[in-house]
Amino acid sequence: MAAHTATRPPAPRTVAYARRWAHQNLFNGVGNTVLTVGVSALLVFLVFQLLSFVLTSAEWDVIQTNRRLLAVGRFPQAEEWRLWPPIWTLGALIGLSYGHWSRIDRLGYAVLAVVLVFSFTVLFEGQNALLMALAVLIGASGYVAMRVMPEGSSLEPKVGRALIAGWLLLLPLTVLLLLVADGVRTTLWGGIFLNVMLATVGIALGFPVGVLMALGRTSSLPVIRIPATLYIELVRAGPLIAWLFLARFVLLDFMPPILALDQLDIVVRAMLVLAGFTGAYVAEIVRGGLQGLPRGQSEAAQAVGLNSFQTMTLIVLPQALRNVIPALVGQFISLWKDTTLVFGLGLVDLLGAGEAAYAQLDFIGTQAEVLVFVALMFWSIAFAMSRLSARLETRLGIGER
Amino acid sequence: MTESADVTVPATSHSLGEPIIYCEGVEKWFDDFQALKGITTEIREREVVVVLGPSGSGKSTFIRTINRLEPHDAGRIIVDGIELNDDLGNLEKIRSDVGMVFQQFNLFPHLSVLRNITLAPQKVRHMPRRESEELAMSLLERVGIPEQADKFPTQLSGGQQQRVAIARALAMQPKIMLFDEPTSALDPEMIKEVLDVMTELAQSGMTMVVVTHEMGFAREVADRFLFFDEGLIVEEGTPEHFFTNPQEDRTKLFLSQIL
């Protein structure tokens, strides 16, 4: 060990080193020098433009006035209480999960600080700010509780299982709370809340559909393989927006009348289409994972006596899914952004709410402000998903081949 | 099954029991390539059979038919009184009674060493967790690496991985162990540690069918050699017979190449 460290000098943080690095990487040759100077100038210009817009010339009133519209659309104010228990639970789950499986590093605290300052200056105000602060408090207590729990406590595996159960139950309980006892019709959902619901339902239904279709397509039985293949190829052959239109006007009316699918409202139709569409892509990603696994794995599982169901669920699928996490999360990020396509169905999602906001007489000419804000919202969640994927990969990477 | 009188069973150091594997006219096709062209043999309890032959001779295919990783296309295979066919109930019974060790180890990389061993006893034999873990630890002691229980397979050397694979197979308390070139993927310095475990296993009275090129090991532990070429058993007999007095030209040629 000592010899190893001795042969490796610490990275020299000197001016001379920086100059050598810059010379080798940025200014090695006329072409690269021109490129470096050009790109840097462009970057500086763009960042300056954006910052001067955001900090000086932008009129952020349009966002502050239309907070409600952007957040939940036409969701009735009297029913807003239905949203808070899910948000508190989400806060608790995030805090507990972070504390249990990870820890917040310095960068994490910095990001958290930015998010909190932004949330309580721009996003929330008055009563909502208090209710949101409660969610943050719950999350923070959960995190602290997990951090002070002694390492290697016998509670740890139980906590992990309870957290996974909590995450799985969050969506169904949220939907239940929204709809139960004269709840809010889905057609009144809107804003970023609508995007979140469409995406989570799309993922929650699309993922199992995709896994089943992948298994179907790799089955040796033609009665299973052929329908699965047809489904995947048919769905992938059409653009999502076309499927959404079809679902609005045609598709479900073809279904057997006893299922009463033609009675479904437009949001539920959109959810089914997003789930089915995502399922077809997930199926191909998972199939890649299944086929990338060495045949010896299932042979070894069979050789110790596991039946084919156990072989699939205990040996093959866990490894196949772990190996395709990046592609799966890519598909989910894509779905998250594709939820805006429901504007074609007359629904008012975050982007639609933004359009409505800058169409108001008071806010003529505020497209830039609104679109920057909407982009920031989409980006934050997509980025969070991508970070989560990276974390999952490292965490499950133990025992990597 | 009891008419073993006309089968050549060589004199051996330890007493052999009743026949436990019975193959008659076993054939196997891969598309239009015939890998096995009618294999007939009988293997008795506590017997150690080493299968030799050039690559592509069908020796691996043969031992893979014994636990039906390769279903045979013609002939009969009876293992421990159960005929191998499409009956899934039979298949699961056979597979939990026949352990197999692969050339590429095939440990489950997403499970710890301990979990690799306890999985099948828990899921197939419905053994309680604690009991299966005690069993796993005693098997890890037996193969000499109890300290590796909580590691993951990729953190182990090839020789250690293969020893875990042997422990995993033994955890089902099999009556027969199949070894498909267990040392061929190992670095030379790790071959001995695996062969030592196999030798100990053979001495403990396990019925073993071993495909290997390790002639020193084969000579020491085998009761009988089967020499395969082009999908047929060309010659069989005791190690002594093979080392001193092989009859077939193809056997002589093969032995001259590997010795």
Side-chain angles (χ1 to χ4, degrees):
Chain A
M1 252 354 228
H4 178 72
T5 42
T7 57
R8 203 170 191 183
R13 288 177 180 252
T14 60
V15 177
Y17 175 77
R19 280 177 61 176
R20 197 166 64 242
W21 185 89
H23 186 78
Q24 283 169 355
N25 292 285
L26 300 175
F27 301 104
N28 55 338
V30 179
N32 281 352
T33 305
V34 171
L35 207 60
T36 301
V37 172
V39 171
S40 317
L42 188 66
L43 269 179
V44 168
F45 177 75
L46 288 177
V47 170
F48 179 77
Q49 286 284 329
L50 187 66
L51 279 182
S52 74
F53 168 74
V54 168
L55 298 176
T56 62
S57 60
E59 303 274 352
W60 292 110
D61 285 359
V62 59
I63 304 299
Q64 307 216 322
T65 312
N66 288 292
R67 266 194 202 116
R68 230 190 94 72
L69 178 66
L70 293 165
V72 294
R74 291 186 294 142
F75 199 92
Q77 198 140 25
E79 303 292 336
E80 254 177 35
W81 61 270
R82 292 176 190 268
L83 294 171
W84 286 103
I87 292 176
W88 295 329
T89 316
L90 183 65
L93 284 172
I94 292 175
L96 290 167
S97 301
Y98 235 97
H100 181 68
W101 280 300
S102 186
R103 55 165 58 223
I104 307 177
D105 53 13
R106 266 210 308 234
L107 183 65
Y109 279 114
V111 172
L112 195 60
V114 171
V115 170
L116 288 180
V117 168
F118 182 73
S119 299
F120 289 100
T121 52
V122 181
L123 298 184
F124 299 98
E125 193 188 52
Q127 191 194 2
N128 283 349
L130 283 179
L131 293 169
M132 192 62 203
L134 183 57
V136 174
L137 198 67
I138 293 173
S141 333
Y143 178 77
V144 171
M146 286 296 112
R147 294 309 311 168
V148 297
M149 192 163 81
E151 202 67 36
S153 147
S154 65
L155 233 56
E156 262 185 32
K158 284 178 197 147
V159 170
R161 278 197 293 273
L163 282 175
I164 290 171
W167 280 109
L168 291 177
L169 284 175
L170 179 60
L171 179 64
L173 290 181
T174 304
V175 172
L176 191 70
L177 184 64
L178 286 165
L179 299 179
V180 81
D182 269 336
V184 184
R185 293 201 321 277
T186 53
T187 41
L188 293 177
W189 296 4
I192 197 171
F193 164 68
L194 176 62
N195 296 93
V196 169
M197 293 309 288
L198 288 170
T200 43
V201 172
I203 291 170
L205 296 180
F207 178 66
V209 166
V211 171
L212 287 178
M213 287 295 154
L215 296 179
R217 193 168 184 174
T218 50
S219 163
S220 53
L221 302 173
V223 262
I224 299 175
R225 189 177 63 240
I226 293 171
T229 309
L230 276 178
Y231 172 82
I232 293 167
E233 294 305 334
L234 182 71
V235 169
R236 296 200 310 159
L240 178 54
I241 188 82
W243 287 116
L244 286 168
F245 279 132
L246 273 172
R248 179 184 192 180
F249 297 116
V250 196
L251 213 52
L252 300 181
D253 306 326
F254 287 168
M255 295 291 168
I258 38 165
L259 294 176
L261 287 181
D262 54 338
Q263 304 294 311
L264 291 178
D265 68 50
I266 194 69
V267 173
V268 178
R269 287 176 185 222
M271 283 173 172
L272 293 181
V273 168
L274 289 168
F277 191 82
T278 301
Y281 283 87
V282 166
E284 286 299 272
I285 292 169
V286 173
R287 184 167 71 98
L290 292 172
Q291 290 178 343
L293 211 61
R295 211 164 71 112
Q297 286 294 309
S298 53
E299 285 185 350
Q302 287 164 7
V304 289
L306 299 181
N307 62 35
S308 46
F309 180 76
Q310 291 168 327
T311 300
M312 189 50 76
T313 53
L314 298 171
I315 304 300
V316 175
L317 266 184
Q319 296 186 62
L321 291 179
R322 187 195 64 185
N323 292 344
V324 297
I325 286 173
L328 275 180
V329 175
Q331 188 59 42
F332 295 154
I333 290 176
S334 171
L335 169 69
W336 160 241
K337 293 173 298 181
D338 283 348
T339 53
T340 52
L341 290 177
V342 296
F343 84 86
L345 306 182
L347 293 171
V348 184
D349 77 320
L350 176 60
L351 188 61
E355 274 186 43
Y358 62 65
Q360 292 158 354
L361 273 182
D362 290 349
F363 298 112
I364 299 278
T366 55
Q367 286 91 331
E369 284 84 349
V370 170
L371 291 175
V372 165
F373 176 79
V374 167
L376 179 69
M377 292 290 106
F378 274 109
W379 176 81
S380 326
I381 292 189
F383 185 68
M385 288 164 88
S386 133
R387 296 310 304 158
L388 178 68
S389 147
R391 235 166 236 281
L392 263 179
E393 273 172 64
T394 3
R395 177 148 192 98
L396 301 180
I398 325 162
E400 193 69 62
R401 258 181 289 143
Chain B
M1 287 278 298
T2 49
E3 304 172 331
S4 54
D6 55 337
V7 175
T8 352
V9 177
T12 50
S13 50
H14 54 259
S15 66
L16 302 181
E18 294 298 306
I20 189 167
I21 302 173
Y22 173 81
C23 301
E24 185 187 276
V26 173
E27 294 181 30
K28 173 69 190 177
W29 294 80
F30 293 109
D31 297 323
D32 46 9
F33 171 74
Q34 190 172 12
L36 298 177
K37 298 177 179 167
I39 303 296
T40 300
T41 190
E42 220 173 47
I43 294 166
R44 297 170 64 178
E45 281 175 18
R46 293 189 291 281
E47 192 177 11
V48 177
V49 174
V50 163
V51 182
L52 299 172
S55 97
S57 59
K59 53 191 195 302
S60 276
T61 308
F62 170 64
I63 76 163
R64 288 162 60 90
T65 59
I66 296 174
N67 68 350
R68 210 171 166 77
L69 281 183
E70 304 290 358
H72 54 286
D73 298 314
R76 300 178 72 188
I77 302 175
I78 297 169
V79 177
D80 198 22
I82 299 172
E83 172 141 21
L84 295 193
N85 51 29
D86 289 330
D87 187 328
L88 282 177
N90 281 356
L91 187 62
E92 280 166 28
K93 175 90 178 68
I94 293 297
R95 284 193 175 148
S96 48
D97 279 347
V98 180
M100 182 150 191
V101 175
F102 299 85
Q103 182 178 353
Q104 298 297 337
F105 329 138
N106 293 347
L107 292 179
F108 307 131
H110 61 305
L111 304 177
S112 71
V113 163
L114 193 72
R115 189 78 183 121
N116 262 276
I117 302 173
T118 59
L119 184 70
Q122 285 177 18
K123 300 293 176 183
V124 183
R125 298 252 194 259
H126 305 290
M127 191 185 278
R129 190 172 67 98
R130 177 160 306 184
E131 195 184 331
S132 70
E133 284 174 359
E134 281 164 10
L135 171 68
M137 286 314 296
S138 73
L139 288 169
L140 284 174
E141 300 266 4
R142 186 169 173 187
V143 300
I145 40 173
E147 72 284 359
Q148 309 290 352
D150 294 324
K151 293 208 179 144
F152 281 82
T154 45
Q155 297 169 299
L156 270 51
S157 72
Q160 292 172 329
Q161 289 192 47
Q162 194 61 297
R163 288 190 277 161
V164 173
I166 294 172
R168 176 176 70 179
L170 290 176
M172 290 299 285
Q173 287 149 337
K175 296 180 175 160
I176 301 162
M177 285 283 283
L178 308 174
F179 292 85
D180 188 1
E181 302 205 29
T183 57
S184 300
L186 293 176
D187 291 334
E189 74 272 19
M190 294 171 184
I191 291 176
K192 185 171 176 297
E193 64 188 58
V194 172
L195 292 181
D196 285 348
V197 170
M198 292 170 64
T199 305
E200 185 270 323
L201 197 58
Q203 283 161 356
S204 76
M206 177 64 77
T207 310
M208 290 165 61
V209 186
V210 184
V211 175
T212 186
H213 299 296
E214 294 295 330
M215 294 309 288
F217 162 81
R219 184 174 199 166
E220 185 188 340
V221 304
D223 297 302
R224 182 158 55 113
F225 282 4
L226 297 179
F227 177 72
F228 271 63
D229 196 20
E230 295 181 352
L232 283 169
I233 297 178
V234 175
E235 188 164 0
E236 65 174 296
T238 60
E240 271 324 292
H241 165 84
F242 270 76
F243 281 103
T244 57
N245 190 22
Q247 298 298 304
E248 300 289 328
D249 289 342
R250 281 186 284 180
T251 318
K252 289 177 194 163
L253 177 67
F254 176 75
L255 289 172
S256 73
Q257 283 165 340
I258 65 163
L259 288 177

